Amino acid sequence: MPHAVRPRRLFTLATGNWLSRGYLAVLALSVVAMFAFPEGGFGLDPMTLTAPLSFLGMAFSFGPGTEGSLAVEVLATGFWVGLLLLGALGNAAALGALASRSAGTPPRQRVRGLLAPAVDNWLSRGYLAVVAAAIGFFLYAVCLSPDPGFAGIWPLMATAPLSIVAITVAGPMEGGWPSLAIFTTGTALAGLGNAVLLGRLARALRR
């Protein structure tokens, strides 16, 4: 019954500890705020909090606002909501895996093994490859291309939601090399943090 156990394990990780429940509570508040204050300009919207999986919808251009018949519009909205729910479940389970793994572990061992899940499984290694490609493209566009455009959106999307901290601290890219260095380092660290969470989740699901 491995196929029946894993979804149950995933749901348990997503709801069974204070860290994952806290994340889901913040996400629920952001959904309420989105409908209560549609033009309030809140930074932590549901799409950002459920990234990076929720950002896949941007690649398909299929979601709320899609023109067509009623059935097409309902299907597009359902697809967008489904991505948000999957992103929320995945992020909550990853945080749950981190919390359950850390509980009862001596501090020294906790620090020593912190980065191991980021590189010891195919899921986190594949994710790090995507992050490296996004940051590499950004640096090429900013440093070598005459028109970088919005190249920073790729590392920002690939490492969200933790990258929100990086762009907040870095400020406008017109600030010169300090802002560039802070943003690049921040998104790299955000990607590493996300890879650790993915690795913890992969380990928890294997058990």
Side-chain angles (χ1 to χ4, degrees):
M1 296 286 291
H3 296 289
V5 172
R6 286 191 177 183
R8 191 180 306 128
R9 173 66 173 163
L10 186 67
F11 183 78
T12 300
L13 288 171
T15 59
N17 61 86
W18 65 269
L19 189 59
S20 56
R21 287 196 296 265
Y23 163 77
L24 291 175
V26 171
L27 177 60
L29 288 176
S30 73
V31 172
V32 173
M34 180 182 67
F35 286 103
F37 310 100
E39 297 181 0
F42 292 99
L44 292 179
D45 58 88
M47 191 170 180
T48 301
L49 288 172
T50 55
L53 184 59
S54 60
F55 283 152
L56 287 177
M58 299 180 67
F60 298 105
S61 300
F62 188 64
T66 299
E67 297 182 357
S69 65
L70 178 61
V72 171
E73 293 177 3
V74 170
L75 181 61
T77 303
F79 174 75
W80 181 76
V81 172
L83 277 181
L84 290 183
L85 292 176
L86 285 175
L89 180 63
N91 289 354
L95 290 171
L98 178 64
S100 62
R101 178 70 177 178
S102 299
T105 304
R108 184 175 299 177
Q109 294 182 15
R110 195 180 307 166
V111 174
R112 187 184 309 150
L114 179 63
L115 299 181
V119 294
D120 66 358
N121 63 92
W122 66 268
L123 184 62
S124 53
R125 286 196 296 265
Y127 169 74
L128 285 178
V130 172
V131 171
I135 293 177
F137 175 77
F138 165 71
L139 291 176
Y140 168 80
V142 171
C143 299
L144 299 177
S145 174
D147 183 18
F150 295 97
I153 194 65
W154 300 112
L156 185 66
M157 290 173 56
T159 59
L162 296 179
S163 57
I164 300 302
V165 178
I167 195 172
T168 302
V169 175
M173 288 297 104
E174 290 80 3
W177 70 265
S179 295
L180 174 63
I182 292 173
F183 179 76
T184 303
T185 304
T187 51
L189 291 176
L192 184 61
N194 286 347
V196 169
L197 292 178
L198 286 173
R200 296 283 193 193
L201 177 59
R203 287 182 177 185
L205 291 177
R206 284 200 302 264
R207 290 200 297 268

